[in-house]
Each structure stands twice: as structure tokens, then as C-alpha cells.
Amino acid sequence: MQVTETLNEGLKRAYAITVTAAELDEKVNEKLAEAQPEIEMKGFRKGKVPMPLLKKQFGPRLLGESMQEAIDGAMNKHFEDSGDRPALQPDVKMTDEDWKEGDDINVVMSYEALPEVPEVDFSVIKIEKLVAKADDASVDEALANLAETAQDFKDRKKGSKAKDGDQIVIDFVGKVDGEAFEGGAAEDYPLTLGSGSFIPGFEEQLVGVKAGEEKAVEVKFPEEYGAENLAGKDAVFDVTVKAVKEPVAAEINDELAQKFGAEDLEALKGQIRERLEAEYAGAARAVMKRTLLDELDGLVSFDLPPSLVEAEAKQIAHQLYHEEHPEDHGHDHGEMEPTDEHNKLAERRVRLGLLLAELGQKAEVEVSDSEMTQAIMNQARQYPGQERAFFDYVRQNPQMQQQLRAPIFEDKVIDHIVEGAQVTEKEVSKDDLQKAVEALDEE
């Protein structure tokens, strides 16, 4: 077997690989000899079938397997000897279009090698960690919001008109072509105006009604309505308004706290404070992580595989297109042409991705099974009732596993770098922290 370098330009590599006919024949013979003791054939005892007959019978099939193994073996040996790591799957092509049995195999292998990533002295990295405490005003604000979610309704003054956000208690009967339809009637139904719980146009016509009033609400069922017998049909609902109620926030007391599972009001405030400070810590970490990545980006410089940068730039262009055109859910918009800005961002992402991967590998950072299980469970919560199916899907999908593993690995590498960096804490207000987070989106 012979491997000859034909291209060595930057990170681009190409090699001509020759597997001789003799080497290939030897591999086929080895496979036949290994299988011979177990082969039975009419006219011969088990394990006594002559080699020439075996070769005639099984040789063509084993030839293809041997070719693939020989080429794979040559590639693996090359990467082992050279130390190269391909950025993407190497491109391998046979150059002999009219190859026939008995000929040498000539193959061209080309790839882009991953670059040598320079060492980084973490001790020269200076980063600031923002710390925000949950003050009493923030806790009280969150508590008031909780009280609103636990709101009740009380009767408005007699003769008051219903406003958006009010609750009205109604009896109603729906009719299509003068005939009542199944499921179109109810008594003492509590409807919050503006909730969107009824078909479009229904609630809007009830704004301004009074208790004791009767009203005919005319609507049209949507074309895509679930019940085929009603889809697209005009309907009239005869509505009787029995009460008009205004929303009232729940009182902030021990009873409210117990509704949310706390022992008393002080315990609820403590839980809110912990939740807020956990949110602040998450936001502060995002700011610190961006600062750290900026520092790393300025510290290192090395050649980048063009194919990785190109693929990342196209992905960025595609993602930004859909963010700017949320109405376009398809992928038939043609290929997005990356701009200079997309390419610059792609270079940064590829550079930092390669750097973090290298630092993580040297530090022997690993994602544990329990961390992966937790990540899958968190993702599965987005599919209520289908958690088990999602779990099984991820277990059978290596690409999905990698998508979940990558951010965990990155965060652990970030933690490793922070341990060796110069970190100073700075106490800030909630508003200052919010401004720092908003600045991330603007960059």
C-alpha cells in the first residue's frame, strides 16, 4: 500500500492511495480462510470446501468488503501517523473508472485538517462578574404579579357596562341556519372578555353589555374549525348576560402564600427572593460568558478550515432570514448568500468552537450520563404526554444527543477557564444587569 501527498496548502490536504491487487487478493484469501471451517457445500464435508471453489462462490462479494477495509485502513493509518484530524468527513474517490478485478486500486483522499490550537494562559484573562441582589421592591413587585394571577372577580355596580378584562356570566345558545347545534349551548358560563377563548368576534361584541341584557352575537366559524359541520358557517348566538364582574387582585396575605404552596407570606417572599436571585445569576453568567469569549477571541489566532467557516456562515444567514421572515416556515427560499458580516461572525464562532473543544479535551472535560439525562428530561417537558417517546427518540438519534451535549460541554469548559482567570465581582442593580443583558442582543 502506498500513500503519496499531492497537496499541502494551509489546512488543505490531498493524498493518492494505491492498494495493490496482490494486497487486495491477500485480504480476500484471509477472509475465506477465516470462514472456511464453517462453510458447508453440497458434495463436501463442512470445512472441506476447496479454496478455489470458495473464491469463485464468495470472492466477488468479499472483494467489495476487502476494498473498503483496505481504503479505511489506509486512511486510519495515515491519520494515526500524521496526527491530522479532518475538520469534516474526508472526500474519497476512486480514480480508475474502468477498474476491474486484478487491477490495483487508486484512490484520491482530500480533506481540511483541524488547525493546531495555541495554548492559552488563563491567568492573564480578566473578567467581571456582575452580582445583583433581589431587593424588597423587586420581591414586592413579583408578589403583586403573583396576586394578579390569583385574581378573583366581584360584581360590578348594577347597570355597569362590561369592559375588556371583565368576567361576564352568561347563558347562550348557538344556531346555524336557525337550528341549534350540538355543543353550542351552556348555562352560567364564566367568560373573561379578551381571553380569546371563544371564536373570533364573539367576545368583542359583548364588551359594553349589562347584567340582565340579551344580545344576538353574529359570528362566522373559521374555515379550519375542528368540527367540519361548522367550519366556515355563519352562526348566531343568543346570549343572556346574568352578571358583570370586575377583576380583583387577590389579597397579599398568608392565604395567598398557601395557594402557592408556601407555609406563610414570609416563606413565599423567601421563595420569590431565591427565584429572582437565581434569574439574576443566570443573566449575570450570560454577560460574563460573553465577556470571556470576547477575551479569548482576542487572545488567540490560528488558521480556520474554510469548509467549517462556509457552513457556519450559511447557517447564520439561514437563521437570520427566518428571524426576519417569521411567516416563512418552509426551506424552499433558495440558498442564502452570506454577507461579510455573516462570514466574520462565522469565523469567530468556528475559532471559539475549536478553541473550547481543544481546551475541554486537554482538561478532560466530560458530560456525565446523569447530566445528559437531565438535559433530555428538560427538553422532553416541551412535549407534554409524549415525554417517553421523545426520550426514546433522543436515545436512538446521535445527532440529537450531540445537540444536547454540546452546550453542557461548553458551559463546563467555561467554568474550567473561569477557575484559572482573574475574576472580580461587581454588585449592580437589577436595572443595570438588565441593561447589560440587553447590550448582548444589540452586539
Side-chain angles (χ1 to χ4, degrees), residues 12-155:
K12 294 182 178 179
R13 305 282 187 273
Y15 296 86
I17 301 174
T18 299
V19 180
T20 67
E23 290 173 315
L24 195 58
D25 191 56
E26 184 180 349
K27 272 192 169 292
V28 172
N29 290 336
E30 286 176 1
K31 286 180 175 291
L32 288 172
E34 184 180 345
Q36 187 180 31
E38 301 300 321
I39 294 178
E40 295 183 64
M41 193 176 288
K42 190 174 181 181
F44 299 94
R45 285 181 295 153
K46 182 178 179 181
K48 298 299 182 180
V49 181
M51 190 64 73
L53 192 56
L54 287 177
K55 197 165 189 177
K56 182 179 179 181
Q57 179 78 8
F58 302 105
R61 179 171 63 83
L62 294 178
L63 184 63
E65 291 180 11
S66 299
M67 287 172 65
Q68 189 62 55
E69 288 179 7
I71 294 169
D72 288 346
M75 289 169 57
N76 293 336
K77 187 174 188 310
H78 161 72
F79 290 127
E80 186 178 328
D81 293 345
S82 67
D84 276 356
R85 292 175 297 163
L88 296 172
Q89 184 68 25
D91 183 31
V92 182
K93 295 178 181 176
M94 282 186 64
T95 58
D96 304 320
E97 294 183 2
D98 55 352
W99 182 88
K100 60 184 181 300
E101 188 175 350
D103 292 346
D104 293 344
I105 302 172
N106 294 298
V107 170
V108 172
M109 174 180 68
S110 57
Y111 61 90
E112 290 173 5
L114 288 175
E116 287 291 325
V117 178
E119 295 284 341
V120 177
D121 181 2
F122 300 157
S123 66
V124 304
I125 299 175
K126 297 179 180 179
I127 48 178
E128 193 173 63
K129 181 180 179 182
L130 304 181
V131 178
K133 300 293 185 183
D135 56 23
D136 291 343
S138 297
V139 173
D140 289 342
E141 181 184 353
L143 195 55
N145 291 336
L146 270 184
E148 280 190 22
T149 66
Q151 70 180 7
D152 202 351
F153 293 91
K154 70 173 185 179
D155 288 327

Side-chain angles (χ1 to χ4, degrees), residues 239-258:
V239 178
T240 300
V241 183
K242 303 176 81 170
V244 174
K245 301 184 177 187
E246 63 180 330
V248 180
E251 287 188 37
I252 298 175
N253 52 25
D254 289 344
E255 185 179 343
L256 173 69
Q258 288 160 8

Side-chain angles (χ1 to χ4, degrees), residues 45 50 85 109 227 231 241-242 254 266 277 288 311 363 373 386 391 434 437:
R45 285 181 295 153
R85 292 175 297 163
M109 174 180 68
V241 183
K242 303 176 81 170
D254 289 344
E266 283 307 307
E277 293 191 348
M288 182 185 69
T373 299
Q386 300 178 357
F391 206 95
Q434 181 63 33
V437 172

Side-chain angles (χ1 to χ4, degrees), residues 253-272:
N253 52 25
D254 289 344
E255 185 179 343
L256 173 69
Q258 288 160 8
K259 282 185 179 179
F260 288 97
E263 185 175 341
D264 53 29
L265 185 57
E266 283 307 307
L268 179 60
K269 285 184 177 181
Q271 292 175 9
I272 291 173

Side-chain angles (χ1 to χ4, degrees), residues 11 85 114-120 300-305 350-362:
L11 296 174
R85 292 175 297 163
L114 288 175
E116 287 291 325
V117 178
E119 295 284 341
V120 177
V300 297
S301 178
F302 50 87
D303 290 337
L304 303 176
V350 171
R351 183 184 305 110
L352 289 173
L354 292 175
L355 175 62
L356 293 176
E358 184 72 13
L359 295 176
Q361 185 178 15
K362 288 181 178 177

Side-chain angles (χ1 to χ4, degrees), residues 181-353:
F181 56 87
E182 186 178 352
E187 294 182 354
D188 296 324
Y189 187 91
L191 172 63
T192 301
L193 299 179
S195 64
S197 55
F198 272 48
I199 60 177
F202 187 94
E203 295 171 28
E204 291 85 344
Q205 295 180 54
L206 292 172
V207 173
V209 297
K210 302 175 184 178
E213 186 176 338
E214 295 183 354
K215 187 176 181 70
V217 177
E218 299 179 3
V219 293
K220 184 181 183 70
F221 281 96
E223 295 292 340
E224 65 278 7
Y225 194 69
E228 291 184 12
N229 62 314
L230 299 176
K233 296 287 184 65
D234 292 319
V236 177
F237 284 83
D238 295 327
V239 178
T240 300
V241 183
K242 303 176 81 170
V244 174
K245 301 184 177 187
E246 63 180 330
V248 180
E251 287 188 37
I252 298 175
N253 52 25
D254 289 344
E255 185 179 343
L256 173 69
Q258 288 160 8
K259 282 185 179 179
F260 288 97
E263 185 175 341
D264 53 29
L265 185 57
E266 283 307 307
L268 179 60
K269 285 184 177 181
Q271 292 175 9
I272 291 173
R273 193 180 302 277
E274 288 179 9
R275 177 176 59 79
L276 289 175
E277 293 191 348
E279 290 176 4
Y280 298 163
R285 178 180 172 81
V287 174
M288 182 185 69
K289 181 177 177 179
R290 173 64 67 83
T291 303
L292 175 58
L293 292 176
D294 288 345
E295 286 282 318
L296 291 171
D297 193 36
L299 277 177
V300 297
S301 178
F302 50 87
D303 290 337
L304 303 176
S307 58
L308 290 185
V309 174
E310 181 183 357
E312 184 66 28
K314 287 182 178 179
Q315 176 62 28
I316 292 170
H318 184 265
Q319 179 182 343
L320 291 178
Y321 170 83
H322 281 286
E323 288 179 5
E324 294 167 2
H325 302 82
E327 74 285 352
D328 189 350
H329 301 291
H331 298 279
D332 55 353
H333 43 61
E335 189 170 332
M336 299 290 103
E337 190 63 35
T339 64
D340 290 342
E341 186 179 351
H342 297 153
N343 289 324
K344 186 177 179 181
L345 179 56
E347 288 176 0
R348 171 188 164 96
R349 287 187 180 178
V350 171
R351 183 184 305 110
L352 289 173

